[in-house]
Amino acid sequence: LRAQVAELERQNEELHRQLLRREQAEVENVFLRQQLAIEQANPWTLLGAEVAVRSPDAGRRVITIARGERDGVRPGMAVVGQAPGSPAALVGIVERVGPRAAEVLLITDIGSQISGRVIADGRAEVGLVQGQWQRGSRLRLEQISRATPIRAGDPVVTAGLTAALDLPFDLAAVPPDVPIGSVESVTTAEQYQSAELRPFVDPDQVGYVWVILSQDD
């Protein structure tokens, strides 16, 4: 009887392992299908990554992903996420990379600065997108000429010019035309406008992301 019980327990453990492997495979297939759809809609080569750790520091918005140098991840690469009903959109920039993991600075962090382009009335105006996490994970678009009529709902994408800003952070790998968010409100001061943005994807809510390894010309 003891031998039969031991054999049944062994079989039960094996069934649990098989069930776990099957569930993991199903989850991976969902993300792979999602990645394929994103790549078909955009000129990007993507690398999927689980969000392993979120920074406990309330003063910074940083996540750690389970991909690193061995997977081709480099500092300055753009990281996108996707929420139901929204396009794949920028959530952060790779800041530090180890062999098997990387830290991503979220776009809502107050230290995040990215060149952005607002699309308004068929025109595209370049400005600077800055993190505003203290305002409910919002963003702020600065340095937009008053000559460009910006309205609520106008989309904002990356301009691909961040490296030209000569910031102390290598952002040359951020490609243009990655969706960021949409305009919520606009304020004017002297010759410039500023806009409050709502990200298309809340970086604090993502559990799985994709690193943009390259973009087709």
Side-chain angles (χ1 to χ4, degrees), residues 8 12 23 26 52 62 69 74 88 101 106 119 146 148 150 153 157-158 174 177 179 184 192 200:
L8 288 172
N12 189 48
E23 290 176 347
E26 289 176 354
V62 177
E69 289 179 345
R74 301 289 181 268
L106 301 182
I119 312 300
R146 291 183 63 175
T148 301
I150 303 175
V157 300
T158 58
V174 178
D177 302 322
E184 281 200 324
Y192 290 106
F200 286 127

Side-chain angles (χ1 to χ4, degrees), residues 83-214:
S86 296
L90 189 70
V91 296
I93 307 295
V94 176
E95 188 175 36
R96 297 185 184 88
V97 182
R100 298 184 181 274
E103 289 186 1
V104 177
L105 180 70
L106 301 182
I107 57 173
T108 49
D109 186 273
I110 57 175
S112 172
Q113 298 182 82
I114 303 164
S115 66
R117 181 182 289 112
V118 60
I119 312 300
D121 283 347
R123 300 170 58 184
E125 182 80 13
V126 175
L128 186 66
V129 178
Q130 297 179 302
Q132 300 279 298
W133 66 265
Q134 71 273 30
R135 296 190 178 185
S137 292
R138 292 297 193 268
L139 305 168
R140 189 171 181 83
L141 178 66
E142 301 275 5
Q143 302 176 8
I144 300 297
S145 170
R146 291 183 63 175
T148 301
I150 303 175
R151 300 183 181 87
D154 287 342
V156 178
V157 300
T158 58
L161 302 172
T162 305
L165 298 175
D166 197 28
L167 298 172
F169 184 36
D170 180 12
L171 295 171
V174 178
D177 302 322
V178 180
I180 297 176
S182 60
V183 173
E184 281 200 324
S185 62
V186 181
T187 57
T188 304
E190 299 179 351
Q191 71 268 36
Y192 290 106
Q193 301 177 87
S194 298
E196 298 294 322
L197 309 181
R198 176 189 289 272
F200 286 127
V201 177
D202 185 348
D204 289 327
Q205 301 301 318
V206 295
Y208 195 91
V209 296
W210 292 270
V211 181
I212 299 180
L213 297 178
S214 64

Side-chain angles (χ1 to χ4, degrees), residues 66 116 215:
Q215 174 164 298

Side-chain angles (χ1 to χ4, degrees), residues 23-44:
E23 290 176 347
Q24 289 174 331
E26 289 176 354
V27 170
E28 290 174 359
N29 284 336
V30 169
F31 288 130
L32 285 173
R33 288 195 296 270
Q34 193 174 359
Q35 176 176 325
L36 179 60
I38 295 172
E39 289 179 327
Q40 289 176 338
N42 299 277
W44 305 333

